[in-house]
Amino acid sequence: MEGLKAALKKEARAVKLDFAELKSGGFIKQIQKDLFTVRLRCPGGRLTAEKLRKAADLADRYGRGEVHISVRQSVEIPYVNYRYFEAVAAELKAIGWSVASCGPRVRVPTACAGCAYNPNGLMDTQEVCLEVDRRLFGTPTGHHKFKVSFSGCPIDCFRTREMDLGFQGIVEPKLLEELCNGCELCVKACEEEALRMVEGLPARDEGRCTGCGDCIKVCPVDAMVVARRGWLVRAGGKHGKHPLFAYEVANYVPQEQVFPLIERTLEWYRGCGEGRERLGATIARLGLERYLDEVIRPLPVEVIDDPRERRKFYAGGNLYGGA
Amino acid sequence: MPGAISMAGLDLRGVLCPENFVRTKLALEEMEEGEVLEVILDDGEPMRNVPRSLKAEGHRILQVQRLGDKAYKLKVLKRDRGAHG
């Protein structure tokens, strides 16, 4: 790596390489000498046709005519010689695009389709994901990477349990008893078997209800309605060689508290984190209570602080050997 | 519903999702607003999925009747898409 850095510095004078651009990441060194993978910035995995065409075009002219779609929704162009970084960056900039980041920064946030068009979606994941990208992408954390994802519903396609901060759409149903006709379609719709008929009306087992809203969606007389809608927030997860499942820390968080929550978490992590640890390790070291007390409780959100409340969100199986 | 006409039903027992929904939807498309379609569905996945999809299409389930252990008969009121918000 030292030899490459020296060579790059020498080249930089010649090719006027923007080192800031290089250091921000988005250019990932490959095995092959001088070759890098260009990681494009694709928040929420949504690209215009124009950007898609540009990626194909760049792959043809600077790569080897192919792209790789990363697990975190990025379109990546492998086999690009570092001599072309400036040209690639300029072409991206010309259409209002840029590369992603690596290193100890807020990464490109990821998201599912959300309620904009997915019938299961309970919250607009794409809108908030784009805003997180606009406002927080690339923010240095002082420690390690920071990944944020948005899942529109409890199916949790965007694996909020594996994120430093994950936001998962959730609703709280309520029954308008006078409108209920006892048809039991809500009981049928519920995959958690959280509803059963009691004296002609559906009664909910809160310990089983995951807030998916299927009962609300099916009710033919709109007796089952949304009492509250928001984000179930998870903190401290990570994937990698030593995965951690995140903790559910707040519920029904309204849209306007998303940024305060992320920004307070980043500030806390920046201040309390040590070395190259992820947020989850900081929480493990200092205790979840401290994170809840210092970050979540001061916000006007519903805190989840009872481990039993979290238990209903867990599946069985091999939870990485933990409890 | 005044003036509603009950049509011959669709027996969709043994028909898997989403074919059961699609056939119901197509049958409803052939009908007039205000007419009622009877549909028999298996318990389980069909009953979990089809009623919700019909509601999303704008139709209204008027009645749900259990048929033994394994099936349900629904009475579905056809409503024109967009007419009811």
Side-chain angles (χ1 to χ4, degrees):
Chain A
M1 193 61 197
E2 285 312 312
L4 175 63
K5 271 190 193 162
L8 279 172
K9 277 197 175 145
K10 200 167 154 189
E11 280 289 319
R13 282 192 285 276
V15 307
K16 297 193 192 93
L17 194 65
D18 185 342
F19 254 61
E21 185 76 26
L22 177 58
K23 280 181 181 169
S24 77
F27 296 96
I28 323 291
K29 182 168 170 15
Q30 295 184 191
I31 300 165
Q32 297 81 10
K33 181 182 185 303
D34 298 347
L35 298 185
F36 288 70
T37 292
V38 180
R39 175 178 291 163
L40 297 169
R41 182 171 168 189
C42 311
R46 188 65 58 82
L47 288 182
T48 58
E50 180 195 25
K51 284 183 172 155
L52 201 49
R53 279 188 285 264
K54 174 58 69 176
D57 178 50
L58 291 171
D60 277 336
R61 288 187 292 120
Y62 298 109
R64 285 190 189 171
E66 57 187 2
V67 300
H68 177 76
I69 297 179
S70 83
V71 70
R72 283 183 10 92
Q73 301 185 302
S74 165
V75 173
E76 299 179 343
I77 305 171
Y79 303 102
V80 175
N81 193 294
Y82 73 88
R83 285 183 184 78
Y84 300 131
F85 284 176
E86 199 195 352
V88 167
E91 290 209 38
L92 291 172
K93 191 168 178 181
I95 62 161
W97 207 4
S98 66
V99 296
S101 76
C102 43
R105 292 177 188 83
V106 175
R107 301 297 182 88
V108 177
T110 54
C112 70
C115 70
Y117 59 78
N118 186 320
N120 288 322
L122 303 173
M123 295 289 284
D124 192 339
T125 51
Q126 284 289 319
E127 178 187 57
V128 66
C129 179
L130 285 179
E131 206 187 336
V132 169
D133 181 70
R134 260 197 307 273
R135 287 167 59 172
L136 295 173
F137 163 73
T139 305
T141 63
H143 301 288
H144 210 335
K145 63 183 75 168
F146 196 90
K147 295 182 178 175
V148 180
S149 82
F150 296 90
S151 286
C153 81
I155 297 173
D156 193 27
C157 298
F158 271 78
R159 276 95 168 123
T160 54
R161 290 179 177 88
E162 294 185 356
M163 297 295 142
D164 296 282
L165 273 180
F167 293 83
Q168 177 223 285
I170 196 166
V171 291
E172 182 180 47
K174 77 173 175 199
L175 181 69
L176 303 174
E177 293 187 1
E178 64 281 5
L179 297 180
C180 178
N181 66 6
C183 74
E184 299 189 33
L185 285 176
C186 55
V187 176
K188 290 284 144 196
C190 181
E191 290 186 9
E192 311 304 322
E193 296 181 355
L195 290 168
R196 64 186 181 91
M197 298 306 280
V198 173
E199 290 168 17
L201 294 174
R204 178 180 320 276
D205 178 350
E206 294 293 346
R208 287 176 160 270
C209 176
T210 54
C212 74
D214 281 358
C215 53
I216 299 167
K217 289 167 198 154
V218 77
C219 180
V221 294
D222 293 330
M224 194 70 82
V225 296
V226 176
R228 283 192 286 179
R229 181 192 300 273
W231 300 104
L232 169 64
V233 182
R234 294 186 162 107
K238 69 183 287 291
H239 191 63
K241 290 196 265 193
H242 301 282
L244 289 173
F245 260 10
Y247 288 100
E248 287 77 12
V249 297
N251 214 350
Y252 309 110
V253 171
Q255 195 74 325
E256 61 268 18
Q257 294 303 327
V258 169
F259 275 88
L261 197 152
I262 299 176
E263 284 162 345
R264 290 183 67 86
T265 300
L266 283 171
E267 199 188 319
W268 188 85
Y269 176 45
R270 216 175 277 128
C272 299
E274 273 179 13
R276 203 169 165 264
E277 67 182 6
R278 290 285 292 277
L279 176 68
T282 310
I283 289 174
R285 190 167 48 78
L286 299 177
L288 177 65
E289 277 311 299
R290 190 157 153 196
Y291 172 76
L292 292 177
D293 284 343
E294 295 177 10
V295 176
I296 306 294
R297 281 188 226 281
L299 291 168
V301 299
E302 179 177 307
V303 186
I304 300 177
D305 53 13
D306 183 351
R308 288 169 302 182
E309 272 185 78
R310 295 188 195 108
R311 188 143 290 278
K312 72 172 175 178
F313 297 112
Y314 287 174
N318 178 19
L319 292 178
Y320 308 116
Chain B
M1 178 90 186
I5 300 165
S6 193
M7 301 287 288
L10 273 183
D11 186 342
L12 297 173
R13 279 177 286 201
V15 177
L16 302 177
C17 303
E19 190 186 338
N20 41 28
F21 163 64
V22 173
R23 285 169 60 176
T24 307
K25 175 184 151 83
L26 292 174
L28 286 162
E29 272 172 18
E30 297 302 307
M31 293 163 62
E32 297 295 317
E33 163 123 16
E35 290 183 316
V36 175
L37 177 68
E38 285 192 353
V39 181
I40 302 177
L41 295 171
D42 284 325
D43 198 357
E45 285 300 304
M47 278 303 285
R48 205 189 334 274
N49 297 332
V50 177
R52 172 180 156 185
S53 299
L54 291 174
K55 180 182 175 183
E57 291 277 303
H59 306 301
R60 163 103 168 226
I61 293 175
L62 299 176
Q63 193 186 83
V64 178
Q65 204 185 325
R66 200 179 176 112
L67 298 178
D69 256 347
K70 305 237 177 84
Y72 286 81
K73 180 193 282 189
L74 273 52
K75 286 201 164 93
V76 186
L77 177 71
K78 150 99 186 215
R79 301 204 294 190
D80 283 328
R81 193 158 188 81
H84 297 272

